[in-house]
Amino acid sequence: MVKKELLIISKKKNKNTGSIEFQIRKFTKKIRALVPHFKLHKKDYSSQRGLRKILEKRQRLLSYLEKKNVLSYQRLINKLDIRESKGQ
């Protein structure tokens, strides 16, 4: 019975959580939630380290998406209002 309820709930969400675009959106949301925290707590170095890890992961996903699908990359950057990578 519990499994059936979980299946129904997971079908209702209908999100592709494994897609690169979804992961980038999720990381961007986390980053934007952490920024006000650092304005209050300037010396929270352990959280700063976590933020840097999230930023690096998002950057890797963005560079992968840019290589695989440039059009999707451009749309996502414009939608999320984030800067384009400088290219390495």
Side-chain angles (χ1 to χ4, degrees):
M1 177 132 160
V2 173
K3 287 183 181 179
K4 289 180 183 178
E5 290 173 3
L6 289 175
L7 288 173
I8 292 169
I9 292 170
S10 65
K11 287 181 182 178
K12 286 182 182 178
K13 288 185 180 178
N14 198 16
K15 292 182 182 177
N16 187 1
T17 57
S19 73
I20 296 171
E21 292 88 353
F22 179 84
Q23 290 180 36
I24 292 170
R25 275 189 234 115
K26 183 180 72 167
F27 286 134
T28 302
K29 187 177 178 183
K30 279 185 181 180
I31 291 165
R32 288 188 176 147
L34 281 172
V35 168
H37 170 78
F38 291 120
K39 289 183 180 178
L40 278 167
H41 308 283
K42 295 180 191 305
K43 294 189 177 187
D44 188 358
Y45 299 117
S46 59
S47 293
Q48 287 178 9
R49 181 176 182 260
L51 176 65
R52 280 193 301 271
K53 287 183 134 195
I54 294 171
L55 286 167
E56 291 167 4
K57 179 72 172 176
R58 184 181 74 171
Q59 186 58 46
R60 284 194 303 268
L61 288 170
L62 281 168
S63 65
Y64 175 79
L65 183 62
E66 185 180 23
K67 290 176 190 172
K68 294 296 179 185
N69 191 349
V70 176
L71 184 61
S72 178
Y73 169 78
Q74 289 293 333
R75 270 189 270 145
L76 188 63
I77 282 186
N78 291 333
K79 186 177 181 180
L80 294 176
D81 194 31
I82 55 179
R83 291 182 294 196
E84 236 178 291
S85 63
K86 293 181 181 179
Q88 298 174 358

